[in-house]
Amino acid sequence: MCGIFAYLNYLTEVDRQTIADILTNGLKRLEYRGYDSAGLAIDGDADKEVLIYKEVGKVASLRKLIEEQKQINWNKTFVSHCGMAHTRWATHGQPSPTNSHPHRSDPKNEFTVVHNGIITNYRELKLVLEKKGYTFESETDTEAIAKLAKYIWDSQKGNKQLTFTDLVKGVVKELEGAFAMIFKSVHFPNEVVATRRGSPLLIGVKTPKKLKVDFVDVEFGGIAEELPREVDAAPGSLSSLEVPKLRRSESRAFLSEDGQPQQIEYFLASDPSAVVEHTKTVLYLLDDDIAHIAGGELHIHRLRRDDGISSIRSIQTLEIELAEIMKGSFDHFMQKEIYEQPDSVVNTMRGRVNFDSHKVTLGGLKSYLPTIRRCRRIVFIACGTSYHSALATRAIFEELTEIPVSTELASDFLDRKTPIFRDDVCVFISQSGETADTILAMRYCLERGALCVGVTNTVGSSISRESHCGVHINAGPEIGVASTKAYTSQYIALVMIAIQLSEDRTSMTARRNEIIDGLHALPDQIKEVLAIDQELQRLAREVLHKEKSLLIMGRGFQNATCLEGALKIKEVSYMHSEGILAGELKHGPLALIDENMPVILIMTRDSLYPKVRSALEQVTARKGQPIIICNTGDDAINPESKTIRVPQTIDCLQGLLTIIPLQLLSYHLACLAGVDVDFPRNLAKSVTVE
């Protein structure tokens, strides 16, 4: 979804061109989140002047627009300055410069704001503000935020005690929906206020000296929870503002040894990938945190007083490296991430699987294992590729734990208001840990007393913070919108959870040992599959490239592979593809089969091999010519058939090897179609709105 980036320098001399470069480079790092336009706001030469540049298309188009501004002195230096930038993924209004962020409160740019999320009550706010004389110029929900800030400022002009934080609190208390926002104002020069609810936001800190402490105190207001209404207010009018008296505590982390402010730079972003090239020292904001940066100091306030949230925010160190978010020698991030899988699966297992003693230890679950083992059922809740990883491992979960397991799409789970009980265990799977539907489902389950387990790839994400316990998959940063290595790492993480949960069942010892031996062999087997990439590229070019549709069939453990492979092909190459359970072939899909319908059939050596072979015969009897994904050394396959051969492993892990040819096929089909592989149209990496 949208990407937010802001840069503040304090007592650090930086020229305007460098500031613009830092902002646009930050947006480049956020491109993978998906977007259709970009913009930024920086200070002008005159007092209280803010320059806003916005452009439809890629960040490169925004850079070109900035380069064309010859009348601007790009060499001017600023000792202190704040600038902000944004990549927009259209939700309200088509992509256009007017609809792009930053949005402004008025033609003088008194207040500017960038926003990630959706404001659900923006129509009501817009109606009230229009009645009060404020003119809107875009179709977006975000513009209502900027206009609301201007309205509160105008209504409090005589209030000399009004701070930027107070003003933003007044704005936030009127908003409904999900948001991460950054505010800038000519009335509060070189200050910025950032807040979030439901959408991610972090603050990176860069100083010449080490920070004195590893946390920041939260400052609570000393007023009633709700702002008082205007005495003569009509129904639907907006709140008036009363300035709170704050319990001040020094922002000790950002002072020098003698207590004086020091040189400091702040980087605010939706994602760690945008700040890692500048600093690895970061602080994650929680929902309803309001961060105020001024005079080199960071102060964090809460929207409401003493709401039970921790009174400190830890300063953390990022573990990712800049090289991990660069393409290196590969043409695309997707290709790089497919080829990283021999290493990423090792990283998922590292320190957790002892191959000698055949034991799995997941520290994040250790204290909750007895509770999970006693549960009535396990409910997997996820979206998209993460849902497929749950589907792929459901059978082995049930087999090893003998606990009923269901898989739920998060959006449907919420729509149905699914019954959840205190003796349920709900497992929430999300690569980013910020998927809106999955987070809402988790909060729904938390309210009903269920034990909530998070499985994510992102330390510090909402799911990892709000769940009771969980497992980080440690796949490393995934930049391509189409998930590849995160899928295989989620798959392995879930298998490891099943193994650890079943450790108290001696009858399953032999089965567990087989699976752990299979995990040990997995990295080398993945390398074997990657070695046939040239063959897959030729297959994509000569057989599938010109086709309009594709069916992928399998059953048992391979059903999830069919669904995931079909999803990959449709999302990156825009070819219609459908994953079909082979057992359902006679119940409708067989009508599609003829000599012109391309079919991929997954037929590996497991207990369902004879049944899948029956499906193969049904397809060939209708003149179908399927491409068969089968095991190396399977001589029962007709030599004239087109085959993709993968190494044989234990049945519950076979899907980790059969998905990789489909990932590679989808990549090559996208390249042949000439489309943007890493950033498919209309899609976003992190879906932070419903």
Side-chain angles (χ1 to χ4, degrees), residues 471-604:
V471 177
H472 286 110
I473 65 172
N474 299 333
E478 189 176 64
I479 306 300
V481 168
S483 182
T484 50
K485 66 177 182 176
Y487 173 77
T488 49
S489 287
Q490 285 171 344
Y491 194 132
I492 291 171
L494 293 170
V495 169
M496 290 193 299
I497 294 172
I499 292 171
Q500 187 163 20
L501 286 174
S502 69
E503 279 180 345
D504 61 338
R505 298 180 182 274
T506 54
S507 60
M508 295 293 176
T509 302
R511 178 69 160 155
R512 281 197 305 273
N513 292 349
E514 281 182 338
I515 296 169
I516 291 171
D517 288 339
L519 289 172
H520 185 259
L522 200 58
D524 290 334
Q525 291 176 325
I526 291 175
K527 289 177 184 175
E528 285 184 49
V529 180
L530 293 172
I532 64 170
D533 190 18
Q534 292 295 322
E535 180 185 328
L536 294 168
Q537 189 174 5
R538 186 171 63 254
L539 192 65
R541 183 176 60 251
E542 296 175 0
V543 180
L544 297 174
H545 171 43
K546 300 298 183 183
E547 302 293 346
K548 300 295 183 186
S549 190
L550 174 65
L551 303 181
I552 306 176
M553 300 180 192
R555 66 187 295 167
F557 286 108
Q558 301 308 316
N559 179 37
T561 304
C562 297
L563 296 173
E564 174 61 12
L567 177 63
K568 285 292 149 287
I569 289 168
K570 70 180 74 163
E571 69 181 328
V572 299
S573 71
Y574 314 152
M575 177 194 289
H576 170 258
S577 54
E578 188 176 347
I580 294 174
L581 184 65
E584 289 292 297
L585 195 58
K586 291 189 289 292
H587 300 281
L590 196 59
L592 295 170
I593 303 299
D594 60 19
E595 66 272 22
N596 299 315
M597 173 59 74
V599 175
I600 294 176
L601 185 73
I602 304 175
M603 192 167 76
T604 52

Side-chain angles (χ1 to χ4, degrees), residues 387-439:
Y387 172 76
H388 294 154
S389 70
L391 209 59
T393 53
R394 177 175 64 179
I396 195 63
F397 248 90
E398 291 178 327
E399 179 186 341
L400 292 179
T401 66
E402 296 181 348
I403 298 170
V405 177
S406 64
T407 54
E408 298 278 357
L409 286 163
S411 55
D412 182 57
F413 175 85
L414 289 164
D415 291 345
R416 292 182 359 247
K417 296 183 172 59
T418 308
I420 290 292
F421 306 97
R422 283 178 295 178
D423 51 358
D424 289 335
V425 170
C426 300
V427 182
F428 300 90
I429 311 162
S430 167
Q431 188 279 140
S432 66
E434 300 291 352
T435 308
D437 284 323
T438 309
I439 291 172

